[in-house]
Structure formats: structure tokens, C-alpha cells
């Protein structure tokens, strides 16, 4: 049994978190948290509904960045960003999560904070170079998404800290393009067996893999290869091989480690070939 | 305990609730509205689907205390004294239900889809209801029933 709070400011959230420590949990959409509470995996004594903090449900376009507030749902995030082709990779990833009903509640920030190795938005955020904006008693700090996540269910958040927004760099017509691909046992309502995001802007290309390690994996060796030799059918195949050797999958109900390695290689190559066509178009 | 007021199927309701109770609990146990079904209680089956502030959600994953001022539509809010809602009638006409456990959720998903996209393709219907499981029908007649209303009854097959 827990006490329910409706904080009206981020300051109130951080002071409640600081006061109650481990016994307090932030409630965003609740699509992970309520299931975890029901399964007995968490027994918080205080639930802090951050949807009652004014402004957190906004997407703010600034000169050099786009701030997606911590209460913005996957549905709304996708709607806001769908007009910007450079963010299509993230829209695709947000749309891949669960079902229509869940996307109407689940938040983008919650998908990151839950720190599931299979979280679909994470590889897309990583290739876009997104940051997590953290609010604490001493002010704000920005942490890149891949450094924010430290293991399954683990993040760099300290006691008293809350995520206030996910921050995307503004491409300002720079015209990057990305592709997100995933494979699951069924298209909806199943976590990915493996997922891949790739992004190219100018000469640089980024590749991130999900569900094949404790946290998201950047395939830097393949990125360097593509920067040196450009994106072709041959370099895409070589990058896929490098992605395969960077992955560290486990065997579980969704697939064996061997199958996941094959998926990583196939999805990476397919994503890069699709990207090559999009960049040319 | 927290007291909230919300609108359910057009009727104002005032409820005093313990914070751990879900919207699904409150609909079924306090308001006697058993259209929304308890299936998995984990967001996986869609049997508990209701329309919250215009959007379909899993009522098993919403805390009722969060809903002060909210507007909720359940399957009981469809149709009226003059008869069934056209989509409900279409489910009957197209044999789109057997045991009926998934039906309230499926019908509300159909309503939500047609409200924002009056002429969806068959693939759009399938994608939209992909968070709703049906153990009996094999889905074909459910898709047909929604498509029949989408086409305003003009299109067949
Ligand atoms: C049936 C089902 C299918 C799913 N399928 C997928 C899928 O295919 N792909 C996928 O990626 N995910 C999937 N998910 C999980 C997905 O719904 C969540 O990860 C969701 O995005 C989490 O957001 P939320 O707002 O619901 O978070 P909540 O459940 O509210 O919170 C999740 C965790 O993050 C913490 N938290 C949330 N917001 C903050 C914040 N601002 N600051 C600090 N901590 C915070 C909470 O305390 C909690 O520990 C599925 C879930 C279900 C139930
Ligand atoms: S009971 Fe809510 S989704 Fe199954
Ligand atoms: S009619 Fe029985 S579950 Fe759908």
C-alpha cells in the first residue's frame, strides 16, 4: 500500500524524493511501474505522479534543441515529431512500443528511466545524440542517453533526482536521416528480441543495438568504417559483421543468443541499406 | 483516501478511493459497469479497454485517483433507448463475437479508430486493434465488422 502524491513543481518532486529515498517512486504513465508493483517487484510507500507538474507534458522547440517533457506520451511525442523527417527514426521506435492503448499512457522519459535492455526508443535516442535532462536539489544536469543507462533497471539517477525531459539536438535543416528496425515474436505487445537504429548526417553514421546486451550498444568500429569508406552494399555488410561481434546477447524466452546474433547482423545490414536509399532520395 | 469527481458515460460521479485501486476496479466494483473485463491486468490483452479523455487506454493500468476531472467512456455508454450503436450492431451482423469477453474492448477500439480515421484500410484496422486479444473469433469477423461501419455500409465483402 502506498501514499499517492500530486506534486505541483519539480522542486516538490525532488524534495519528496529526497525525503523518502528508496521508498518513493516516480509515476509517469505507469505502464511499467504498475505492472511491477502488481508482480511484487516494487513495493513503494510513496508514489509521485509527475503528470501533475505543470509544463511537463510539453514539447519545446528551442534554437539548438527540442525538449520533450517527462510527461509527454509516446503517442503525443510521435505526433509532435512526425513533421520532422530527421526524427523519423525516433517516431518509428515510439510507434513500435506495445499497443495503441499503452502508447496513450506510456511516456518517452519513462521508457528510458525504466532501463529495460529492450526499450525500443533507446537505440533511436542514442543515434540521434539525445540527452537526459535531470533535475535535482542542486539544479539541472544533462547526461547522454547511453551514459544515463548503467545496466538492466539501473541508471545514474541519484536519490532526490528526477528526469524532467529528453533533449534532442536540433538538426536545423542539417538533414540527417535514420532507420529503426526491430524483430519480435509478434508485431505488437512483445518486447523486441533485437532492435537496431542507424542514423546518417553528412559523412557520419551512428549505429545502436538494443536487447542484445545489458544496455544499449554503440557499434563504434562500424561507425568509423562507414565514415572512412562511405555507405555502400559492401561496407553495410562489413558493418553488420562488426555489429554482430559487438553484441553480447543472452538466451531467454524471446530467442537464443545465437539467433539474436543472426538478427543483429541481418537487421543492421537491412537498416543500413534502407538508410542508403533514403539518403539518396 | 482521496475524493475525485469524474464523468463516466456522461454522468458525473463522486468517489472516495484508496490510491492503489485501478480504474478497472472502480468501474466494475463501485459503479457496477462490468463491460470492461478483467483479463491479464498487465496491459497485454486489451479486455479492460475504455476511452479516457477521448483516447483508448488499458483501465487496468490507470490509477483511479489520478482521474479527478476526467471523462471516461465504457461500452455501456454506447447506443441508447433507440437501439445499439451502429458498430455494436455491425458486430452482431458480422458474427464478430463468440464468448464476448474481448468485445467491449474491440468495439471501443473500433469507435476510437473511426473517430479519427473514418475510412481506415484493413491493415490500419488490424494494427489499431493489435493490443486486443481474442481467444475465439480468429479476428476476421471483427475486422469485417469495423470495416463495414467504416464504409458506411455501402461496401461489401
Ligand atoms: C504489455 C506491455 C507491452 C510493452 N511493450 C513494449 C515494447 O514493445 N517496447 C518497449 O520499449 N516497451 C514496452 N513496454 C514498456 C513501456 O510501456 C514502458 O517502458 C513505458 O515507455 C514506460 O513509460 P511510463 O510512462 O509508463 O513509465 P512508468 O511505468 O510510470 O515508470 C517506469 C519507471 O521509470 C521511472 N520513471 C518514470 N518517469 C521518470 C522520471 N521522469 N524521472 C525518474 N524516474 C522516472 C519510474 O519510477 C519507474 O521505475 C510494454 C509494456 C507493457 C505493459
Ligand atoms: S486486463 Fe487490462 S490489458 Fe488485460
Ligand atoms: S469472442 Fe471470445 S475472446 Fe473474443
Amino acid at each position: 500500500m502506498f501514499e499517492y502524491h500530486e506534486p505541483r513543481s519539480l522542486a516538490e518532486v525532488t524534495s519528496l524524493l529526497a525525503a523518502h529515498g528508496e521508498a518513493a517512486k516516480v509515476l509517469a504513465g505507469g505502464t511499467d511501474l504498475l505492472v511491477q508493483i502488481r508482480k511484487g517487484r516494487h513495493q513503494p510507500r510513496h508514489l509521485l505522479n509527475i503528470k501533475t507538474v505543470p509544463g511537463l507534458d510539453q514539447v519545446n522547440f528551442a534554437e539548438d534543441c527540442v525538449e520533450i517533457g517527462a510527461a509527454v506520451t509516446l503517442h503525443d511525442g510521435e505526433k509532435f515529431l512526425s513533421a520532422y523527417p530527421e526524427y523519423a527514426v525516433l517516431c518509428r521506435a515510439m510507434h513500435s512500443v506495445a499497443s495503441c492503448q499503452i502508447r496513450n499512457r506510456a511516456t518517452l522519459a519513462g521508457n528510458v528511466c525504466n532501463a529495460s535492455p529492450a526499450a525500443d526508443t533507446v537505440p533511436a535516442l542514442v543515434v540521434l545524440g539525445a540527452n537526459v535532462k535531470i533535475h535535482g536539489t542542486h539544479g539541472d544536469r544533462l547526461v547522454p542517453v547511453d551514459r544515463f543507462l548503467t545496466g538492466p533497471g539501473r541508471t545514474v539517477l541519484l536519490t532526490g533526482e528526477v528526469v524532467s525531459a529528453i533533449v534532442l539536438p536540433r538538426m536545423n535543416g542539417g538533414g540527417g536521416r535514420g532507420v529503426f528496425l526491430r524483430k519480435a515474436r509478434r508485431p505488437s505487445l512483445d518486447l523486441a528480441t533485437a532492435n537496431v537504429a542507424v542514423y546518417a548526417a553528412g559523412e557520419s553514421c551512428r549505429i545502436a543495438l538494443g536487447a542484445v546486451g545489458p544496455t544499449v550498444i554503440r557499434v563504434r568500429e562500424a561507425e568509423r568504417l562507414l565514415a572512412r569508406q562511405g555507405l555502400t552494399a559492401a561496407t553495410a555488410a562489413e558493418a553488420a559483421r562488426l555489429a554482430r561481434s559487438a553484441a553480447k546477447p543472452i538466451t531467454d524466452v524471446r530467442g537464443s543468443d545465437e539467433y539474436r546474433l543472426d538478427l543483429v547482423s541481418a537487421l543492421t545490414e537491412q537498416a543500413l541499406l534502407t538508410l542508403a536509399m533514403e539518403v539518396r532520395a | 483516501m482521496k475524493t475525485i469527481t469524474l464523468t463516466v458515460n456522461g454522468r458525473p460521479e463522486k468517489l472516495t478511493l484508496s490510491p492503489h485501486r485501478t480504474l478497472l476496479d472502480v468501474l466494475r466494483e463501485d459503479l457496477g459497469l462490468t463491460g470492461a473485463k478483467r483479463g491479464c491486468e498487465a496491459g497485454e490483452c486489451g479486455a479492460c479497454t475504455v476511452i479516457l479523455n477521448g483516447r483508448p487506454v488499458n483501465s487496468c493500468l490507470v490509477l483511479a485517483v489520478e482521474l479527478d476531472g476526467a471523462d471516461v467512456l465504457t461500452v455501456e455508454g454506447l447506443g441508447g433507448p433507440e437501439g445499439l450503436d451502429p458498430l455494436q450492431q455491425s458486430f452482431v451482423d458480422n458474427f464478430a463475437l463468440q464468448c464476448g469477453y474481448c468485445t467491449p474492448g474491440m468495439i471501443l477500439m473500433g469507435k476510437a479508430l473511426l473517430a479519427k480515421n473514418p475510412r481506415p484500410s484493413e491493415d490500419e484496422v488490424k494494427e489499431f486493434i493489435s493490443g486486443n486479444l481474442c481467444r475465439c473469433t480468429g479476428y476476421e469477423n471483427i475486422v469485417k465488422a469495423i470495416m463495414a461501419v467504416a464504409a458506411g455500409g455501402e461496401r461489401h465483402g
Side-chain angles (χ1 to χ4, degrees):
Chain A
M1 195 61 113
F2 50 79
E3 199 180 318
Y4 170 76
H5 303 263
E6 296 197 336
R8 297 288 159 190
S9 67
L10 282 174
E12 201 181 328
V13 176
T14 50
S15 70
L16 283 164
L17 286 172
H20 298 294
E22 294 281 284
K25 276 264 171 202
V26 169
L27 172 72
T31 64
D32 280 316
L33 187 58
L34 296 180
V35 175
Q36 290 159 3
I37 290 175
R38 205 163 283 146
K39 287 186 177 157
R41 221 176 298 154
H42 286 300
Q43 284 154 326
R45 295 217 308 282
H46 298 271
L47 230 52
L48 282 46
N49 182 4
I50 54 159
K51 297 192 291 303
T52 57
V53 175
L56 285 191
D57 61 348
Q58 302 292 310
V59 175
N60 291 316
F61 285 81
E63 183 96 16
D64 58 343
C65 66
V66 182
E67 278 201 22
I68 303 170
V72 174
T73 61
L74 294 170
H75 174 273
D76 285 348
E78 185 188 344
K79 213 168 70 179
F80 274 116
L81 294 181
S82 62
Y84 303 87
E86 63 270 34
Y87 298 129
V89 59
L90 179 58
C91 287
R92 197 62 235 151
M94 291 193 281
H95 196 83
S96 304
V97 173
S99 64
C100 165
Q101 291 98 314
I102 288 186
R103 292 191 298 275
N104 280 336
R105 295 292 291 175
T107 61
L108 176 62
N111 195 234
V112 176
C113 289
N114 191 58
S116 160
D120 282 311
T121 67
V122 167
L125 289 170
V126 166
V127 295
L128 284 170
N131 284 295
V132 180
K133 190 172 179 183
I134 301 173
H135 185 81
T137 34
H138 301 297
D140 288 337
R141 60 183 178 125
L142 278 179
V143 179
V145 169
D146 46 358
R147 267 192 272 146
F148 176 79
L149 300 162
T150 55
R154 289 210 315 272
T155 69
V156 300
L157 281 182
L158 304 170
T159 305
E161 285 188 325
V162 59
V163 169
S164 62
I166 302 296
V167 184
L168 307 178
R170 194 75 195 264
M171 310 301 179
N172 287 330
R177 290 292 179 275
V179 173
F180 174 82
L181 293 178
R182 86 200 282 266
K183 179 80 182 141
R185 293 167 302 175
R186 62 185 289 254
S188 296
L189 285 174
D190 192 19
L191 290 178
T193 311
N195 54 24
V196 172
V198 297
Y199 192 82
E203 300 300 293
S204 92
C205 184
R206 293 190 190 136
I207 305 174
L209 315 174
V212 289
T215 65
V216 62
I217 293 170
R218 271 280 291 274
V219 193
R220 290 184 196 268
E221 207 181 326
E223 294 176 3
R224 283 192 291 271
L225 169 85
L226 293 168
R228 259 193 335 264
Q229 300 185 15
L231 178 49
T232 64
T235 55
E238 178 59 11
R241 198 188 59 74
L242 293 169
R244 187 189 168 102
S245 49
K248 296 177 191 62
I250 56 164
T251 294
D252 68 8
V253 289
R254 293 189 179 82
S256 67
D257 53 356
E258 268 302 306
Y259 176 59
R260 280 195 160 96
L261 289 175
D262 287 348
L263 273 184
V264 162
S265 141
L267 291 174
T268 305
E269 183 168 0
Q270 195 188 335
L272 287 170
L273 294 175
T274 311
L275 182 64
M277 286 195 303
E278 295 216 352
V279 172
R280 238 174 278 138
Chain B
M1 300 293 263
K2 180 172 186 265
T3 301
I4 60 163
T5 55
L6 75 170
T7 309
V8 181
N9 299 332
R11 272 184 43 178
E13 304 280 359
K14 186 170 182 179
L15 300 160
T16 299
L17 301 164
S18 145
H20 72 277
R21 301 185 68 214
T22 63
L23 173 58
L24 178 64
D25 295 335
V26 169
L27 289 171
R28 295 181 60 85
E29 295 159 13
D30 299 13
L31 299 177
L33 297 170
T34 54
K37 299 287 182 270
R38 202 184 293 280
C40 64
E41 291 204 275
E44 291 178 13
C45 74
C48 66
T49 300
V50 302
I51 310 283
L52 172 61
N53 298 327
R55 291 186 182 174
V57 301
N58 303 113
S59 62
C60 70
L61 292 184
V62 177
L63 294 178
V65 280
E66 292 187 44
L67 300 182
D68 198 28
D71 184 64
V72 176
L73 175 73
T74 72
V75 75
E76 288 93 340
L78 299 181
E82 59 293 347
L84 295 176
D85 180 275
L87 188 58
Q88 290 174 307
Q89 188 60 50
S90 183
F91 268 61
V92 176
D93 296 342
N94 287 283
F95 305 100
L97 60 145
Q98 290 178 29
C99 80
Y101 209 79
C102 70
T103 312
M106 290 290 189
I107 289 178
L108 289 172
M109 289 310 284
K111 291 297 287 183
L113 175 60
L114 296 177
K116 68 168 193 178
N117 179 0
R119 290 194 169 240
S121 67
E122 196 170 310
D123 283 343
E124 285 168 329
V125 172
K126 286 182 183 165
E127 208 241 29
F128 205 76
I129 63 169
S130 62
N132 297 66
L133 299 183
C134 176
R135 179 69 180 76
C136 312
T137 65
Y139 301 97
E140 287 205 8
N141 289 349
I142 293 173
V143 175
K144 240 190 245 169
I146 297 173
M147 292 299 286
V149 173
E154 296 145 30
R155 205 158 47 184
H156 295 279

